[in-house]
Amino acid sequence: MYQGHRKFDFHSCTACGLCVPVCMQGALAITGTDIGDSDLFDLLMRDADYYRNSGGGVTFSGGEPLLQAEFVRVAAGRLHSEGIAVALDTAFNLEWTVIAPVLPEIDLVLLDIKSMDRETHYDCTGVYPDLIWENIGRLRTMDKQVLVRMPLIAGINDSDREIADAIAFLSGWDSLLGVELLAYHDMGLEKATSYHGAIGEQEAFLAPDKNAMETIAQRFRANAIAVIGY
Amino acid sequence: MIPKHVQKSIEKWFDKSDEATFYERIVLQEEAVEKYADEPYAVRFAHILEHILANMTVIVDEGERIVGSVLEIIPTAEQREYAESLSLKWWGPLVSEEERQQQVNFYFSPGWVKRRNPVFFSLGHLAYDWETIVTKGLGWYANRVADLLASGEFDDDPEKMQFLQGAQIAYDAHSAFIARYARYAAEAARMAGNLQERNRLETISEVCSHIATGSARGLRDALQLMWMVVLVSQKTAGCGVFNFSRMDQYLLPLFAKDIEAGTLTEQDALELIVEFYNKNNEIMFPTDHMSQENDSVIKNLEVSYDDPNYLVVAGKLANGTSGVNRLSFLLVQAAKLLRLKNPFIVVRWHDGIDSAFWQETVDAMRMNATVVIYNDETMIPALKEFGIEEQDVYSYGFYGCNDPNIPALEGGLRQLWMNLVWPYELALNGGRPFGDPSRSVDLNFSLRDRIQIGLMSGPYAGKKFDAEEPCLSMEAFIARYRQQMSFLLDQYRRVMEQDYEKESQWNKGRIRIEDLFLKGTIESATTWLIGGTKYHKVTLQGSGLATAVDSLAAIDIAVFKEKRYTFDELRQAIKANFVGYDEMRTYLLKLPKFGNDLDSVDEYAKIVVDAFCDAVVDMNRKREGLYTYMPAISTDRDFTTMGEALAASADGRLAGAPISENQSPYIGSDKSGMTALLNSVTRVPFNRITGGPLNLRLHPLTVEGPEGLAKLASLLEVYLRKGGMQAQMNVVGKAELIEAQKNPEKYKNLCVRVVGYAAYFVQMGKKAQDELIQRTEL
């Protein structure tokens, strides 16, 4: 109890889960469950008819699914053998030796470009993009379908220079389906608060306005890069 | 695309006062009731109809091509008082239930019957023989009855002769009424200010003059004739809630002839259909008949004021081919254009349905048009199991609310509400409800139960056994559940059959307006109610499916599989409404629930529904008399009422709480997404179930654009292919999101796409919700 309220010290929580079954209101829950590749496969196959009829499939997303790369490889392989299409949504910030074995089982890779400026990338994400770009370079040599997504924040990564660099970086990539331009939103802040408690003052960011988004989309199209959505 | 005059009429409708009424009907009806008081029932009935139709105001509205409306006024205080005094005389507290039963037999919920004079009575809910109406015309009906009267066949049966005499007067009254429209329009044409208006009125006059007795020459004649028949039945005699049946089949030859002759374009046809649909809406009143507590419902003086008229599109034909044709497209497109609540379009899906047509249908659903889908692949076997012959089964359709109907071959609404949770409670407690034993109803159901609500509210006693007797296995418990189910239904059948016996005496010589246009009634000079038609059924609405499924599964898991509690401990906790059993209730609430694609609970969907259907098969095997029984899964809006008399249940539900709604999981318990929900529902053996709705709620963002349409069309098709029976959906907008924000417990499963990901709306924070609400407005 803290100032008349129940308060959890999440730093001391060992995720033993004992609080969950006795919480009458279901307010406490462990997000995520442990599951083996075989059980996951069975679970996914329950929807196989929906995937097949719609031309859809399964996306491994996260977090970073490649932190369990072997698991993804096995599960994706089994789905593949059933004719189910598999997509991988990854930050790509891993050693190529981790990524490479999984790729044969993947039909579509979903990648993000957060910024084409090394320092901005570091400021916004906490890592330099060198490894990501290197991996993208390798991926380009393979005939693998790719969709690139770009979250755009006004004044941060929507400059002419950023866009020009992104266009240069992506041009001439035959198996690139296109880019999806995502206007920034701060809905994730609420999610972060629910997991970590108050997260302190946040800098206020803005999405580029509608006209700016349209202009950016036009620039990609003018350079023969399809814009899937924005 | 919507003709201007229709748009205007729609706007007028939304501004209509809820006090408006077709008052002259009441006055004309009562004049005639008195004037013909000494006549036999059927003849008097027909004379009342004739008097109303000969004297009610004829209206031809601006711009319209399909005519037929009633004059609505706001009644004065004296007029209202007069109308109320009539209701009191017919159905007031001084009239005993036995007298009411004798007047109108089955199903008289007070709100329904109150404006209906028992000597001029109908409750509708059926399909006329529309094909014969349009292809042969009213004159053919009148000639046929004249021939029968002259044939001598019924000369020694005065009641049958009266029935036929009544029918003859009634057909002529219809024809004369339509002829009044012809004369009125001709007169108006002479006064018309311009050529265009004169042409319009002259055509109306010509059409009405022809269809007063003749058969339809084309689509316009057919729709005009159908509309006149509907107007008369629905607005004068209260025979509402029609099934227009397979309009794309019986109107196709006329439509094709028009197109071929070049007298009609598809665009003209679409506009005529739009106008016909809107007529169905125009005669309704701005209220919700299921909200009996609403002032507008209480005050309403109409006999039929919020009745959905159904129509059927697509579906298999008897020769195995698809019924989809050009007219099917137009009938769905018209609904998509109008997006009104009436009429209610049923699209019958079947394997191999034309994919462009399917897209059109799902697009209409996505746009919140009143379009629902049913599955031929389950419905046809189910109807056959419950006695519908091969030659009739392909004509099937529905009337409100989702009851199956074989057009023209059966009469109106008869329902029995079967709370599927009752037999479970009785199986748990020695055949006795947990509630106050002095309230328990033994063996003979009250007249009110029999006639009005079925086994809806209880508390009904079942087959008695020693409650202390241990239940050693789940199989043993299921056997008890099945035994209680059969017992309740069979007792009900037994007492109902005594009622049918009485009805057959009371209804000799009586006629109802629907007898004029069914198959068999005129030929046998017998009202449908006592044998005039081929089929006679009671639809059994199995209610509380998910509550029953969850509760049985909970016993299986808690007592037998996990052995967490003994059978007796569970029984005591339920008896105590879980007071002092918090830990047990918490455990039970967290057990697997129907709607999440989990075998351990979903397998009970088959067990519960088979228990229900087997009991119905048994009823039909033992039945004596006319009526057979057909199982459906539905609660309508009564899932709250039906929970009231129940004790707590093993799914963790508290005493008196609502049961689950229609075919849905218990509110808030499906948390695994749309495909998991649909997978669970397909575990119901729908090839034994003859109707009932599955309500789905989608956010517009999840189905937007061509990609959204393709996904939704595919999702629904897979659901049906996997054995789902029906689906209807609400694609929700801003208002509902705000409501969800205020009452998140009711909207737990509302799935929204935020940008590149999906989330459950109520799990998002307020700010994110607000942002989404803003965005939806765009």
Side-chain angles (χ1 to χ4, degrees):
Chain A
M1 296 289 277
Y2 174 73
Q3 291 179 347
H5 295 283
R6 287 176 203 278
K7 198 166 167 65
F8 275 89
D9 176 5
F10 284 103
H11 296 293
S12 309
C13 174
T14 60
C16 72
L18 288 176
C19 59
V20 175
V22 295
C23 177
M24 279 294 279
Q25 301 306 327
L28 296 173
I30 290 188
T31 301
T33 44
D34 287 327
I35 191 164
D37 54 52
S38 185
D39 287 346
L40 179 68
F41 174 76
D42 291 345
L43 181 65
L44 293 171
M45 286 307 288
R46 297 184 82 104
D47 286 343
D49 292 339
Y50 296 99
Y51 302 140
R52 292 194 180 114
N53 195 59
S54 65
V58 173
T59 300
F60 286 87
S61 180
E64 175 51 69
L66 291 182
L67 293 176
Q68 286 104 25
E70 178 58 11
F71 176 88
V72 172
R73 189 187 66 79
V74 173
R78 292 196 62 185
L79 289 166
H80 248 174
S81 67
E82 290 292 331
I84 308 283
V86 179
L88 174 69
D89 180 2
T90 172
F92 237 35
N93 190 26
L94 298 105
E95 291 301 327
W96 185 251
T97 50
V98 175
I99 298 170
V102 183
L103 288 177
E105 305 298 352
I106 303 299
D107 301 289
L108 172 67
V109 182
L110 307 172
L111 294 174
D112 278 10
I113 289 182
K114 301 261 173 33
S115 169
M116 290 306 296
D117 180 88
R118 286 186 78 248
E119 295 303 327
T120 307
H121 198 283
Y122 183 84
D123 287 347
C124 292
T125 67
V127 295
Y128 283 107
D130 305 346
L131 181 59
I132 299 171
W133 292 353
E134 198 182 311
N135 287 333
I136 291 177
R138 290 195 171 102
L139 186 65
R140 285 189 69 142
T141 65
M142 307 166 76
D143 183 25
K144 185 68 71 187
Q145 291 201 324
V146 174
L147 177 65
V148 167
R149 296 186 294 188
M150 298 182 61
L152 294 171
I153 308 171
I156 304 285
N157 63 353
D158 66 341
S159 67
D160 287 353
R161 175 73 190 273
E162 284 264 6
I163 303 303
D165 286 350
I167 289 169
F169 188 57
L170 298 175
S171 284
W173 188 351
D174 289 342
S175 56
L176 178 71
L177 298 179
V179 294
E180 191 176 3
L181 304 177
L182 308 172
Y184 171 81
H185 63 83
D186 58 6
M187 293 178 199
L189 292 181
E190 296 280 355
K191 187 171 161 187
T193 309
S194 76
Y195 288 159
H196 305 298
I199 51 171
E201 273 301 295
Q202 284 288 313
E203 211 175 322
F205 294 115
L206 292 173
D209 64 29
K210 224 177 153 189
N211 287 339
M213 292 294 285
E214 178 56 37
T215 308
I216 294 169
Q218 287 299 350
R219 289 180 64 188
F220 277 98
R221 290 192 193 109
N223 286 278
I225 297 170
V227 177
I228 305 289
Y230 67 91
Chain B
M1 285 286 270
I2 299 177
K4 239 189 241 159
H5 69 276
V6 175
Q7 192 58 48
K8 223 167 165 181
S9 140
I10 294 169
E11 281 158 22
K12 210 169 103 189
W13 190 87
F14 282 106
D15 289 337
K16 178 150 103 176
S17 160
D18 61 7
E19 291 197 42
T21 195
F22 171 31
Y23 188 75
E24 61 185 10
R25 172 194 66 84
I26 302 171
V27 176
L28 292 168
Q29 174 187 290
E30 291 311 298
E31 279 173 12
V33 165
E34 204 158 304
K35 185 171 171 194
Y36 300 107
D38 297 333
E39 292 181 346
Y41 189 104
V43 177
R44 184 192 192 193
F45 178 98
H47 276 139
I48 298 169
L49 181 71
E50 184 187 46
H51 185 72
I52 297 171
L53 294 181
N55 294 288
M56 67 187 267
T57 305
V58 166
I59 296 169
V60 175
D61 263 336
E62 199 184 316
E64 65 184 8
R65 288 186 294 175
I66 295 177
V67 293
S69 305
V70 297
L71 177 70
E72 290 165 5
I73 61 157
I74 311 249
T76 63
E78 292 81 49
Q79 287 172 327
R80 174 164 291 281
E81 200 181 326
Y82 172 63
E84 294 293 355
S85 75
L86 293 173
S87 296
L88 207 63
K89 183 169 83 182
W90 304 326
W91 309 108
L94 294 177
V95 184
S96 73
E97 291 211 317
E98 285 70 18
E99 283 174 81
R100 296 179 198 205
Q101 182 192 22
Q102 196 162 343
Q103 297 286 9
V104 299
N105 313 295
F106 197 83
Y107 211 90
F108 54 72
S109 110
W112 275 40
V113 296
K114 70 178 173 186
R115 305 302 182 200
R116 290 165 157 93
N117 188 326
V119 302
F120 191 66
F121 193 90
S122 170
L123 283 176
H125 292 80
L126 38 66
Y128 283 175
D129 184 1
W130 302 109
E131 183 166 4
T132 303
I133 292 172
V134 298
T135 57
K136 299 205 165 140
L138 292 166
W140 177 85
Y141 278 98
N143 290 337
R144 183 179 62 161
V145 80
D147 289 349
L148 276 170
L149 277 165
S151 72
E153 192 183 340
F154 301 109
D155 281 357
D156 54 355
D157 191 331
E159 280 159 337
K160 291 198 170 191
M161 287 300 279
Q162 289 155 16
F163 181 97
L164 294 176
Q165 284 153 8
Q168 188 173 39
I169 297 164
Y171 290 130
D172 291 345
H174 276 79
S175 295
F177 175 65
I178 301 171
R180 287 184 64 208
Y181 266 86
R183 285 198 301 276
Y184 179 91
E187 186 67 25
R190 274 193 291 279
M191 324 262 270
N194 63 58
L195 187 63
Q196 197 187 354
E197 180 66 354
R198 189 182 311 154
N199 284 342
R200 179 180 79 93
L201 291 162
E202 278 173 354
T203 313
I204 290 171
S205 178
E206 195 279 328
V207 167
C208 288
S209 168
H210 175 79
I211 59 153
T213 53
S215 62
R217 297 158 298 182
L219 186 68
R220 177 167 174 172
D221 280 3
L223 293 175
Q224 178 66 75
L225 175 55
M226 286 172 72
W227 180 248
M228 285 300 190
V229 170
V230 174
L231 186 75
V232 170
S233 288
Q234 205 149 356
K235 295 310 288 184
T236 68
C239 181
V241 193
F242 279 115
N243 167 16
F244 285 120
S245 70
R246 306 187 75 173
M247 280 181 79
D248 60 348
Q249 304 308 310
Y250 63 81
L251 292 181
L252 183 68
L254 293 167
F255 166 76
K257 203 173 88 183
D258 285 341
I259 296 284
E260 207 170 308
T263 50
L264 191 79
T265 64
E266 284 208 1
Q267 183 59 33
D268 293 336
L270 182 65
E271 286 183 11
L272 282 171
I273 294 165
V274 161
E275 200 165 328
F276 176 79
Y277 282 3
N278 183 52
K279 278 284 174 195
N280 284 271
N281 200 60
E282 192 186 282
I283 59 161
M284 298 299 132
F285 283 76
T287 186
D288 168 25
H289 72 286
M290 292 300 286
S291 305
Q292 295 282 332
E293 68 285 3
N294 278 4
D295 211 32
S296 55
V297 172
I298 295 164
K299 286 191 308 199
N300 203 293
L301 300 177
E302 292 295 289
V303 279
S304 171
Y305 59 90
D306 184 34
D307 291 4
N309 288 334
Y310 280 48
L311 63 95
V312 177
V313 180
K316 274 188 195 171
L317 302 177
N319 64 13
T321 62
S322 174
V324 175
N325 57 45
R326 276 311 297 164
L327 200 49
S328 318
F329 279 86
L330 297 181
L331 289 163
V332 171
Q333 280 162 3
K336 193 161 76 174
L337 274 175
L338 284 170
R339 281 180 277 166
L340 298 171
K341 68 177 177 180
N342 207 8
F344 195 94
I345 321 286
V346 173
V347 170
R348 279 173 41 185
W349 179 88
H350 58 84
D351 218 354
I353 196 165
D354 178 79
S355 65
F357 175 72
W358 185 242
Q359 295 256 331
E360 191 74 57
T361 299
V362 176
D363 192 33
M365 294 173 80
R366 176 173 75 152
M367 290 172 71
N368 286 320
T370 309
V371 173
V372 310
I373 48 177
Y374 264 96
N375 186 355
D376 272 8
E377 311 297 340
T378 65
M379 279 300 301
I380 289 169
L383 290 165
K384 281 183 179 170
E385 176 172 4
F386 293 95
I388 304 303
E389 292 174 16
E390 169 80 16
Q391 71 203 69
D392 304 321
V393 78
Y394 294 94
S395 70
Y396 86 88
F398 298 86
Y399 52 71
C401 295
N402 280 291
D403 283 30
N405 175 238
I406 303 300
L409 295 176
E410 60 181 3
L413 180 68
R414 294 205 131 173
Q415 286 177 325
L416 158 56
W417 296 90
M418 176 65 204
N419 185 340
L420 299 171
V421 191
W422 267 115
Y424 140 85
E425 181 167 328
L426 299 173
L428 204 56
N429 195 43
R432 289 290 173 269
F434 281 106
D436 176 3
S438 67
R439 287 184 56 228
S440 119
V441 179
D442 272 302
L443 301 183
N444 284 308
F445 301 98
S446 71
L447 189 54
R448 190 169 163 268
D449 290 336
R450 285 175 353 238
I451 291 185
Q452 185 181 325
I453 54 174
L455 295 165
M456 189 187 274
S457 57
Y460 307 101
K463 191 169 173 60
K464 204 169 179 176
F465 64 95
D466 181 5
E468 306 300 323
E469 194 186 312
C471 186
L472 297 176
S473 68
M474 195 57 203
E475 290 68 33
F477 187 75
I478 292 168
R480 284 184 186 177
Y481 178 71
R482 292 177 62 93
Q483 182 187 42
Q484 297 298 335
M485 179 88 79
S486 292
F487 182 83
L488 281 175
L489 285 173
D490 205 52
Q491 291 302 320
Y492 194 90
R493 176 191 63 78
R494 209 176 46 75
V495 293
M496 279 305 295
E497 280 173 357
Q498 295 166 11
D499 289 331
Y500 304 151
E501 189 54 39
K502 289 184 212 155
E503 282 177 12
S504 67
Q505 296 307 314
W506 293 329
N507 284 283
K508 282 193 181 139
R510 284 192 193 172
I511 193 169
R512 292 189 176 195
I513 196 160
E514 56 266 34
D515 289 322
L516 298 175
F517 300 109
L518 293 169
K519 278 189 158 89
T521 42
I522 299 297
E523 299 91 311
S524 60
T526 308
T527 179
W528 66 266
L529 197 68
I530 58 170
T533 46
K534 177 172 179 178
Y535 296 113
H536 299 82
K537 70 146 192 300
V538 179
T539 307
L540 269 80
Q541 307 284 9
S543 304
L545 171 72
T547 301
V549 167
D550 289 345
S551 299
L552 283 161
I555 291 175
D556 187 10
I557 298 167
V559 176
F560 299 107
K561 286 189 180 133
E562 294 187 358
K563 299 190 186 349
R564 174 83 172 249
Y565 299 103
T566 66
F567 190 78
D568 203 52
E569 280 168 340
L570 188 74
R571 200 163 68 86
Q572 295 308 329
I574 282 171
K575 198 169 179 177
N577 195 21
F578 294 117
V579 174
Y581 293 89
D582 285 351
E583 197 184 316
M584 186 194 291
R585 180 161 181 252
T586 305
Y587 163 82
L588 292 171
L589 283 170
K590 292 186 179 185
L591 287 178
K593 297 285 185 265
F594 181 67
N596 297 287
D597 196 13
L598 298 167
D599 291 339
S600 61
V601 54
D602 292 351
E603 64 182 327
Y604 281 92
K606 179 162 166 58
I607 290 166
V608 166
V609 172
D610 275 342
F612 177 43
C613 291
D614 290 347
V616 179
V617 168
D618 208 41
M619 288 171 91
N620 286 335
R621 194 171 50 79
K622 292 182 187 160
R623 81 178 165 104
E624 290 174 15
L626 280 175
Y627 283 84
T628 60
Y629 300 85
M630 280 195 190
I633 302 282
S634 170
T635 60
D636 217 324
R637 281 189 49 206
D638 289 308
F639 50 97
T640 311
T641 325
M642 284 191 265
E644 282 166 7
L646 286 167
S649 42
D651 56 352
R653 186 190 131 277
L654 292 174
I659 55 172
S660 57
E661 172 259 340
N662 292 296
Q663 292 161 12
S664 294
Y666 197 72
I667 187 159
S669 64
D670 54 319
K671 297 173 178 169
S672 309
M674 182 68 92
T675 55
L677 160 68
L678 295 179
N679 283 346
S680 284
V681 180
T682 58
R683 300 294 291 273
V684 173
F686 280 119
N687 56 358
R688 309 188 71 190
I689 293 295
T690 62
L694 172 68
N695 287 311
L696 300 173
R697 199 160 55 200
L698 298 178
H699 191 278
L701 289 176
T702 61
V703 293
E704 71 179 358
E707 200 185 318
L709 174 60
K711 272 195 284 191
L712 186 60
S714 170
L715 181 88
L716 292 172
E717 183 158 59
V718 174
Y719 172 63
L720 298 173
R721 200 168 283 154
K722 285 169 85 114
M725 175 184 66
Q726 193 268 15
Q728 54 192 52
M729 62 181 58
N730 285 305
V731 179
V732 298
K734 183 175 168 178
E736 198 147 356
L737 290 173
I738 292 169
E739 177 69 13
Q741 225 176 14
K742 289 186 193 147
N743 298 299
E745 71 283 358
K746 291 185 189 159
Y747 290 87
K748 282 183 186 167
N749 50 5
L750 176 59
C751 186
V752 296
R753 213 181 65 188
V754 183
V755 183
Y757 68 98
Y760 287 104
F761 183 74
V762 301
Q763 290 177 9
M764 291 162 59
K766 171 93 170 46
K767 192 167 175 303
Q769 288 180 346
D770 285 348
E771 196 174 322
L772 200 77
I773 287 167
Q774 290 309 319
R775 198 179 297 168
T776 309
E777 207 177 19
L778 297 172

